[in-house]
Amino acid sequence: MLTTFLTDICWLPVSDFPGRVIRGRFSLTAYHDALWQQAALPFPDHLSAAVAKRRAEYLAGRLLARQALEALGHPQRVVERGADRAPVWPDGIVGALSHNADTALCAVAPAADSGGVGLDVETQMPMQRAEQLWSGIVNPAEQAWLRQQPLPFNLSLTLTFSAKESLFKALYPQVQRYFDFLDAQIVALDPQAQTFTLALLQDLTPQCPAGRRFGGRFTLDGDNVTTLIFF
């Protein structure tokens, strides 16, 4: 049953965001392929060789996307995957999907009100893993700066990883090119206001030159770190 597979569905309030953000918890043990037919969603060909976890998180994201789009006046829309593996949103809509072990999220907004939307949820990495992975996520100056922040280094690094994922999702539909974690840098972090700022270190397009800054929001929920960027 879909009601046992995807639970705790709720709309997340985000001040000034012109669209909707929805979150749900999915259960891998409750997943089976018949849920696609129950949901009236076509089973994607590219998932035919995927493990159950990948099928479950993909289904959860698409179910939430359908609800979010309906809230914006686009009922019964199927968000397919493009050739570049990015979600294909209806004309006039910008959006993003994310998931981790058991949480899925979707954010959508009218394109006329938002130039881009990026959303990401990550599970907080343990300190030992943070020490092993930081050089692929932040540059040495960022690493030193994060260690001076009031949040534990593993939490601030997870947050920065998520923020850069959100930035990529927000910008990719416009710049149409891949860029790396080290092509952007975190330059501000306010744990009280739950905000952050990233700056580009590389020219991506004339509209997205090196130095352009993007502000975002974050929330902490247990071990989950969620970031959202919109502009």
Side-chain angles (χ1 to χ4, degrees), residues 124-136:
Q124 181 178 323
M125 65 181 76
M127 185 63 77
Q128 183 179 5
R129 188 157 178 78
E131 296 291 356
Q132 294 170 341
L133 298 180
W134 72 260
S135 62

Side-chain angles (χ1 to χ4, degrees), residues 144-157:
W145 184 82
L146 287 176
R147 291 187 189 277
Q148 297 173 359
Q149 302 309 303
L151 297 177
F153 178 66
N154 58 319
L155 176 54
S156 63
L157 185 68

Side-chain angles (χ1 to χ4, degrees), residues 106-128:
C106 176
V108 292
D113 299 327
S114 181
V117 176
L119 176 73
D120 185 70
V121 59
E122 300 291 336
T123 304
Q124 181 178 323
M125 65 181 76
M127 185 63 77
Q128 183 179 5

Side-chain angles (χ1 to χ4, degrees), residues 79-108:
V79 177
E80 298 182 350
R81 188 181 79 156
D84 56 4
R85 299 172 59 183
V88 179
W89 302 100
D91 291 341
I93 295 291
V94 291
L97 291 161
S98 188
H99 50 75
N100 65 356
D102 63 356
T103 300
L105 296 107
C106 176
V108 292

Side-chain angles (χ1 to χ4, degrees), residues 144-202:
W145 184 82
L146 287 176
R147 291 187 189 277
Q148 297 173 359
Q149 302 309 303
L151 297 177
F153 178 66
N154 58 319
L155 176 54
S156 63
L157 185 68
T158 305
L159 195 160
T160 302
F161 179 97
S162 180
K164 292 184 179 186
E165 285 281 358
S166 286
L167 181 65
F168 178 83
K169 293 177 184 179
L171 290 183
Y172 178 77
Q174 297 182 25
V175 303
Q176 287 294 298
R177 55 169 285 192
Y178 288 94
F179 56 95
D180 191 74
F181 286 109
L182 300 181
D183 291 331
Q185 177 170 307
I186 188 165
V187 295
L189 176 60
D190 187 334
Q192 296 264 331
Q194 295 190 309
T195 60
F196 61 86
T197 304
L198 297 175
L200 291 177
L201 299 179
Q202 298 288 337

